[in-house]
Amino acid sequence: MPDSKSDSVPNPSYGVRPGEVAIDLPAVPDEGVYFIGRIHTPWRRREDCPKNARESDAVCTVEVGEHYAAGLAGVETCSHVILLYWMDQARRDLVSQTPRHYGVPRGTFSLRSPARPNPIALSVARLLRVEGPTLSVIGLDCLDGTALIDIKPYFASVDAVPDAVVGWHADRKG
Amino acid sequence: MPDSKSDSVPNPSYGVRPGEVAIDLPAVPDEGVYFIGRIHTPWRRREDCPKNARESDAVCTVEVGEHYAAGLAGVETCSHVILLYWMDQARRDLVSQTPRHYGVPRGTFSLRSPARPNPIALSVARLLRVEGPTLSVIGLDCLDGTALIDIKPYFASVDAVPDAVVGWHADRKG
């Protein structure tokens, strides 16, 4: 079992802040992911991205690779889709982190920060239209050029929990 | 660009049905994922798993690896979490598939089938408690021993869309 440490800075632009804890990651991954497309957004720099996806009404496009485009049949009937994408600029070794806008250290799995062992982000996006291999959506917050790894239909019956609470966040606002 | 084909059966237990289309996958993945824990459920065989997660009230447990357990701080304040897990028995090469219970071929990205280029499943689970590295949850549908790849807090403000519609599914029921 590797030791925790708080002084490793694999990517200098994402340094360790007070209260943050970095771990050694395994030498080899367990499985591999394919990039199946690219997401195009208006945001070219991290600091320009909306802090959360509902903050912006920007129309973004999702370009699915030609090879995978047949998989879109039926997606045009969905009002909303779940997009999974790979945050390749995020560090993967933080188990405790201190988001700038909160200022308090929290466990990685209680946050939606892109920095996590598997830097897979998830957004529920409103689907405007599908044209060939291109989806137009509202509700993303990622950098232009982000790699897409999955598109799923959003089923309100299993995915919508309007009364769900994230206690630490509610307490913060309350 | 590899050709589509419908006769390859990499895993005989997941054969190609009428209307299904398999593609050649890239030779090497673009990125790697780490398994960060294991999910324990009552289901040992595919045919025993609930067809969707809201069909079952079974309490399942999620064991996070010791190495990552510090990342759980704060998760105990969440009423619901999003779990991402790796469906290692699913084939990855189908872009069109015919789920047995629908009987009609559809694009992979309009389905929640585990068979997809990146076999990452997503469930919104109700969190009962966190004890050390172990979460007890309701709302999973996967096989016992499934590999965990992420835990995220569920924020109703961005994740809940109660009026979302999957048109092909609604038409089917209507």
Side-chain angles (χ1 to χ4, degrees), chain B residues 112-124:
Chain B
R112 291 290 275 265
S113 159
R116 50 210 314 120
N118 296 302
I120 297 169
L122 176 169
S123 285
V124 177

Side-chain angles (χ1 to χ4, degrees), chain A residues 63-118:
Chain A
E63 294 280 348
V64 174
E66 194 186 339
H67 194 39
Y68 301 102
L72 292 176
V75 172
E76 73 284 353
T77 72
C78 300
S79 69
H80 293 74
V81 290
I82 298 172
L83 299 175
L84 300 183
Y85 40 100
W86 191 268
M87 305 298 271
D88 68 333
Q89 296 194 42
R91 54 188 295 168
R92 302 178 64 167
D93 62 343
L94 294 183
V95 289
S96 176
Q97 54 189 295
T98 310
R100 207 189 317 256
H101 49 294
Y102 297 136
V104 178
R106 298 196 194 278
T108 288
F109 303 122
S110 73
L111 296 168
R112 290 290 274 267
S113 160
R116 48 209 316 118
N118 296 303

Side-chain angles (χ1 to χ4, degrees), chain B residues 50-112:
Chain B
K51 261 205 302 291
N52 89 54
R54 291 266 170 109
E55 275 182 20
S56 169
D57 273 342
V59 176
C60 302
T61 58
V62 178
E63 294 280 348
V64 173
E66 192 185 342
H67 193 41
Y68 300 102
L72 293 176
V75 171
E76 74 285 352
T77 72
C78 299
S79 69
H80 294 74
V81 290
I82 297 172
L83 300 176
L84 300 183
Y85 40 101
W86 191 267
M87 304 298 271
D88 68 334
Q89 297 194 41
R91 54 187 294 168
R92 302 179 65 166
D93 61 345
L94 294 182
V95 288
S96 176
Q97 54 189 295
T98 310
R100 206 189 316 257
H101 50 293
Y102 297 136
V104 178
R106 296 194 193 280
T108 289
F109 303 123
S110 73
L111 296 169
R112 291 290 275 265

Side-chain angles (χ1 to χ4, degrees), chain A residues 1-3 21 23-36 52-54 64 66-75 77-82 84 86 88 92 95-96 102 106-113 116-122 124 148-169, chain B residues 1-3 21 23-36 52-54 64 66-75 77-82 84 86 88 92 95-96 102 106-113 116-122 124 148-169:
Chain A
M1 176 64 61
D3 292 321
V21 177
I23 57 172
D24 286 324
L25 291 169
V28 290
D30 293 288
E31 278 288 354
V33 298
Y34 304 120
F35 293 166
I36 63 164
N52 90 54
R54 293 267 170 109
V64 174
E66 194 186 339
H67 194 39
Y68 301 102
L72 292 176
V75 172
T77 72
C78 300
S79 69
H80 293 74
V81 290
I82 298 172
L84 300 183
W86 191 268
D88 68 333
R92 302 178 64 167
V95 289
S96 176
Y102 297 136
R106 298 196 194 278
T108 288
F109 303 122
S110 73
L111 296 168
R112 290 290 274 267
S113 160
R116 48 209 316 118
N118 296 303
I120 297 169
L122 176 170
V124 177
L148 178 72
I149 60 173
D150 203 6
I151 301 172
K152 299 180 188 294
Y154 183 97
F155 281 95
S157 57
V158 292
D159 299 321
V161 186
D163 57 353
V165 173
V166 176
W168 68 257
H169 194 262
Chain B
M1 176 63 61
D3 291 321
V21 177
I23 57 171
D24 286 325
L25 291 168
V28 290
D30 294 289
E31 278 287 355
V33 298
Y34 303 120
F35 293 166
I36 63 164
N52 89 54
R54 291 266 170 109
V64 173
E66 192 185 342
H67 193 41
Y68 300 102
L72 293 176
V75 171
T77 72
C78 299
S79 69
H80 294 74
V81 290
I82 297 172
L84 300 183
W86 191 267
D88 68 334
R92 302 179 65 166
V95 288
S96 176
Y102 297 136
R106 296 194 193 280
T108 289
F109 303 123
S110 73
L111 296 169
R112 291 290 275 265
S113 159
R116 50 210 314 120
N118 296 302
I120 297 169
L122 176 169
V124 177
L148 177 73
I149 61 174
D150 203 6
I151 302 172
K152 298 180 188 296
Y154 183 98
F155 281 95
S157 56
V158 292
D159 299 320
V161 186
D163 58 353
V165 173
V166 176
W168 68 258
H169 194 262

